[in-house]
Amino acid sequence: MDRTLYVDKYYMTEVDTFENSIYCHHALMGESFISEHSHIKGQFLYTEGGIVFLKTEEKSYFLPARHYIWIPGGIKHSIHPSSPEVVMRNLYFPKFDTDTDFFDDVNIYPVNDFLIEFIMFTNRWTGNIFPSEEPKFSIAKAFKLILPEISQTELPLALPYPKHEKLKAIVNYLEQRIDKNISFKNLANEFEVSERTLARLFQRELNMSFIQYYTILRMLTALKLLLDEKMSVNEVAMQVGYSSLPTFSNTFNKVIGVRPSEYVKNKNLLL
């Protein structure tokens, strides 16, 4: 029986009450966002029923179906689901001596069937799990221990926030014209800067090239359209500026790790 409840926003004050406990919380969002907060414990977040945008002070992350995000302790973040019907499945972990560098960064990873089974197994738990509660605590700890082993490929489902005023305008320009295939040369001409200056601006401010940023922006938009809109893969490709369906499919596969046709086919199973 599914024991999923609505989010009680006050549960977050309980996460760090006991330093050594593992805190488990499965809940239906029931609201449009969870405001900015942080916690000492690291957070594993998996969602069902829609997509989630998670915003930190540095980046905006896009969490689609069949993926999870790891959020290290101390990172301020807010959570914005596509619908109040999104289910959040959270596990909050203290630091262990066995922790590796894997747990130091915010990242998004795909989940396999084994991990999904493990996640669903924790649905029977609510609140603090203490070291004295065996075998429950050891099972929950093992969950954290296996994450680096089965999460070999982080996905670039995040975009940094530009701080430079001109770059903010450029990013907004790209977002508003996502259905166009905008060349780097035309973008530079539009904003009256040299290509060399524009390239340096992207690299310095966002730590990525224009083509990296633009490709991720288009693929994140495609993911949202595939999940939220009743569009064919071909229609989505056109909406994000690709006239060639094979090129779109290959790019989507390279960034997301699965072809869009496969993603659509399995969508109902993944949400």
Side-chain angles (χ1 to χ4, degrees):
M1 179 178 179
D2 194 337
R3 298 173 55 196
T4 303
L5 305 172
Y6 282 95
V7 165
D8 175 358
K9 62 183 66 178
Y10 300 107
Y11 87 90
M12 287 181 289
T13 64
E14 300 177 4
V15 168
D16 294 321
T17 301
F18 300 98
E19 181 181 356
N20 296 320
S21 71
I22 296 170
Y23 195 91
C24 184
H25 187 80
H26 296 255
L28 192 67
M29 281 292 297
E31 53 187 303
S32 58
F33 74 100
I34 294 179
S35 58
E36 187 177 72
H37 63 284
S38 66
H39 23 75
I40 298 171
K41 291 175 180 172
Q43 179 181 0
F44 169 98
L45 171 61
Y46 176 78
T47 62
E48 300 166 358
I51 58 175
V52 168
F53 288 95
L54 186 140
K55 298 180 180 180
T56 68
E57 293 177 319
E58 299 295 329
K59 293 184 179 181
S60 177
Y61 294 85
F62 182 95
L63 182 61
R66 210 174 172 88
H67 294 78
Y68 78 87
I69 188 168
W70 174 261
I71 309 165
I75 299 292
K76 291 182 179 179
H77 59 281
S78 57
I79 299 172
H80 308 259
S82 60
S83 162
E85 300 305 308
V86 169
V87 174
M88 295 198 310
R89 303 193 183 279
N90 298 286
L91 285 167
Y92 300 85
F93 295 93
K95 286 185 177 294
F96 296 127
D97 292 340
T98 50
D99 284 359
T100 64
D101 294 345
F102 173 91
F103 299 105
D104 293 339
D105 300 312
V106 180
N107 268 317
I108 293 173
Y109 303 91
V111 301
N112 57 23
D113 292 339
F114 170 74
L115 190 56
I116 289 177
E117 289 293 329
F118 214 149
I119 294 166
M120 297 311 297
F121 181 81
T122 68
N123 189 54
R124 68 192 67 188
W125 302 334
T126 301
N128 288 291
I129 304 170
F130 297 100
S132 59
E133 298 181 73
E134 293 291 5
K136 188 188 295 186
F137 186 84
S138 290
I139 293 172
K141 183 177 181 179
F143 184 99
K144 184 182 183 183
L145 289 173
I146 65 171
L147 290 180
E149 292 296 321
I150 63 176
S151 307
Q152 297 294 320
T153 307
E154 68 271 19
L155 298 182
L157 301 179
L159 287 173
Y161 296 124
K163 296 178 181 178
H164 191 282
E165 289 303 318
K166 175 157 281 191
L167 195 53
K168 286 181 182 179
I170 290 171
V171 166
N172 183 64
Y173 180 87
L174 293 173
E175 291 174 346
Q176 296 300 318
R177 294 162 180 79
I178 198 69
D179 60 328
K180 312 295 183 185
N181 186 7
I182 300 172
S183 71
F184 186 64
K185 181 178 181 178
N186 288 343
L187 186 65
N189 289 338
E190 177 69 27
F191 285 88
E192 300 180 339
V193 295
S194 69
E195 292 181 45
R196 184 177 183 182
T197 298
L198 186 57
R200 286 179 172 176
L201 192 59
F202 268 91
Q203 199 64 53
R204 185 180 73 241
E205 296 292 323
L206 302 178
N207 198 32
M208 62 177 67
S209 68
F210 161 75
I211 193 63
Q212 287 174 317
Y213 186 93
Y214 193 32
T215 299
I216 294 172
L217 175 64
R218 295 161 94 184
M219 292 306 104
L220 295 190
T221 304
L223 265 176
K224 186 177 188 302
L225 292 173
L226 287 171
L227 287 169
D228 286 356
E229 307 291 341
K230 294 180 179 178
M231 291 184 182
S232 68
V233 173
N234 191 57
E235 288 172 326
V236 169
M238 297 294 289
Q239 284 292 314
V240 295
Y242 284 83
S243 57
S244 167
L245 185 57
T247 300
F248 168 70
S249 182
N250 289 336
T251 305
F252 189 96
N253 185 43
K254 183 177 179 181
V255 174
I256 308 302
V258 64
R259 295 198 174 276
S261 56
E262 296 170 3
Y263 201 88
V264 170
K265 184 173 66 177
N266 295 322
K267 181 172 64 174
N268 293 333
L269 298 175
L270 303 182
L271 294 178

